[in-house]
Amino acid sequence: MAAWRVTRPGPMASGPFEWSRVPVPRPAAGELLVRVLVCGVCRTDLHVAEGDLPVHRPGVTPGHEVVGEVVALGSDVTGFAAGDRVGIAWLRETCGTCRYCLRGRENLCPESRYTGWDADGGYAEYAVVPAAYALPLPGGYTDDELAPLLCAGLIGYHALARAEVPENGRLGIYGFGGSAHLTAQVAIARGATVHVLTRSADARKLALELGAASAGEAADPPPEPLDSAILFAPVGELVPPALAALDRGGTLAIAGIHLSDVPPLNYQQHLFQERQVRSVTANTRADAREFLDFAGTHRLSVSTVPYGLADADRALADLAADRVNGAAVLRAG
């Protein structure tokens, strides 16, 4: 099969990717073999390719927003059949026995493993996934639209919970790409007033079309104090203005797996009056099912930019240069 592999992690201009022919994987016990239909392009894939994240699997195939069709089952798999459509997401495996797993916070499991980082992902024609981590997909969406829900949607939903937006609260969203444009819609559907701060004029236009109350430049103050904020842009320099925009008792959730260095903070200006900062790790499977159920009952507008699988390097280069307005997706067909 055709697959992309990260052979030389580094800036996209240095050519970290290799387009390869590799054997189709065989499902082990408890796994599904899935034919990839569409794979979303996530900024985490860019961090893997460029070496911002340490190498966990040399020559890994990235991709963890996979919409696919089951073609074969390993032994000991129940509840699935060939032809079923499933989603493959970032969280791939946890131990199930540590204190985090036992209290429902499997995303903090020290033994957790991730698709497209610890194991090969969906920038390929086929992928395997543990059946226990394959996700059901809601109806009413195209494959292109479903793919971004499987990470951009999931992590945004988890970030929204971490931001603790009060009822009818005021939420600021910093950066407005694949994850943020979905999170904004969930927040608005729940009654929040959303203010978007981003450097992209096209993204500001999309934010207003999706129902944001305002859309301004990334470092500008919003038109009113915020109860909560989510930082999607992996830019540490935006942490101080986001904290300064919070009202008393406000919460800033930082949604990325990677963030550039944060400048020094002023306690009185940025943290006093019980303002707080929270990081966001991977979602749990319970989060994933809850969000996908929500997406099945609340039709989300998913803005996608399609690429062919063979153009994954160009898609990531466009993402790195902020040329993608919405969520990039790779079509394997």
Side-chain angles (χ1 to χ4, degrees):
M1 68 173 185
W4 285 96
R5 299 169 60 241
V6 180
T7 54
R8 299 173 298 277
M12 288 306 300
S14 71
F17 264 161
E18 182 179 285
W19 179 237
S20 307
R21 298 293 299 181
V22 300
V24 174
R26 300 182 64 177
E31 291 186 336
L32 306 173
L33 175 63
V34 174
R35 181 170 66 90
V36 176
L37 303 174
V38 174
C39 184
V41 177
C42 177
R43 190 165 289 274
T44 300
D45 302 333
L46 183 62
H47 295 318
V48 170
E50 295 198 319
D52 296 325
L53 297 179
V55 174
H56 279 194
R57 177 182 173 89
V60 72
T61 295
H64 56 273
E65 298 180 338
V66 179
V67 176
E69 178 184 10
V70 176
V71 295
L73 290 72
S75 61
D76 302 324
V77 173
T78 60
F80 292 92
D84 288 349
R85 292 169 72 255
V86 297
I88 303 175
W90 176 239
L91 185 66
R92 183 182 190 84
E93 187 177 347
T94 56
C95 74
T97 58
C98 70
R99 64 183 181 272
Y100 305 105
C101 288
L102 293 178
R103 68 189 190 202
R105 303 192 71 183
E106 65 180 5
N107 57 326
L108 301 181
C109 174
E111 303 301 320
S112 57
R113 299 177 71 245
Y114 300 95
T115 306
W117 191 20
D118 296 292
D120 290 333
Y123 285 27
E125 293 177 312
Y126 292 89
V128 292
V129 61
Y133 291 79
L135 296 174
L137 298 171
Y141 294 87
T142 66
D143 292 341
D144 281 12
E145 292 171 326
L146 284 169
L149 300 185
L150 292 167
C151 182
L154 297 186
I155 204 64
Y157 190 77
H158 187 54
L160 192 59
R162 295 284 289 163
E164 292 190 340
V165 185
E167 185 176 359
N168 298 319
R170 301 156 297 177
L171 171 67
I173 291 180
Y174 289 79
F176 204 71
S179 188
H181 91 283
L182 297 171
T183 307
Q185 294 176 69
V186 176
I188 291 168
R190 291 178 167 180
T193 298
V194 172
H195 300 287
V196 170
L197 295 307
T198 180
R199 65 184 183 181
S200 167
D202 288 340
R204 292 195 295 271
K205 180 175 181 291
L206 176 61
L208 295 173
E209 291 171 354
L210 293 175
S214 74
E217 289 282 351
D220 288 350
E224 59 180 337
L226 304 173
D227 298 303
S228 305
I230 304 174
L231 175 59
F232 286 102
V235 182
E237 290 181 357
L238 291 177
V239 171
L243 284 169
L246 291 177
D247 205 349
R248 299 180 178 209
T251 298
L252 169 64
I254 299 174
I257 192 172
H258 171 78
L259 186 73
S260 61
D261 289 344
V262 178
L265 300 177
N266 178 282
Y267 179 71
Q268 296 292 331
Q269 181 182 4
H270 299 126
L271 293 172
F272 190 54
Q273 300 293 355
E274 300 193 358
R275 298 175 180 89
Q276 60 181 331
V277 183
R278 289 178 158 185
S279 66
V280 175
T281 308
N283 56 278
T284 66
R285 284 172 288 173
D287 290 333
R289 294 188 179 100
E290 185 177 301
F291 168 69
L292 293 171
D293 284 346
F294 180 93
T297 55
H298 297 75
R299 183 63 167 84
L300 301 175
S301 175
V302 187
S303 177
T304 62
V305 182
Y307 296 79
L309 177 60
D311 294 323
D313 54 346
R314 181 167 62 87
L316 278 181
D318 287 348
L319 182 63
D322 286 333
R323 292 190 293 262
V324 179
N325 187 26
V329 297
L330 307 176
R331 293 173 176 171

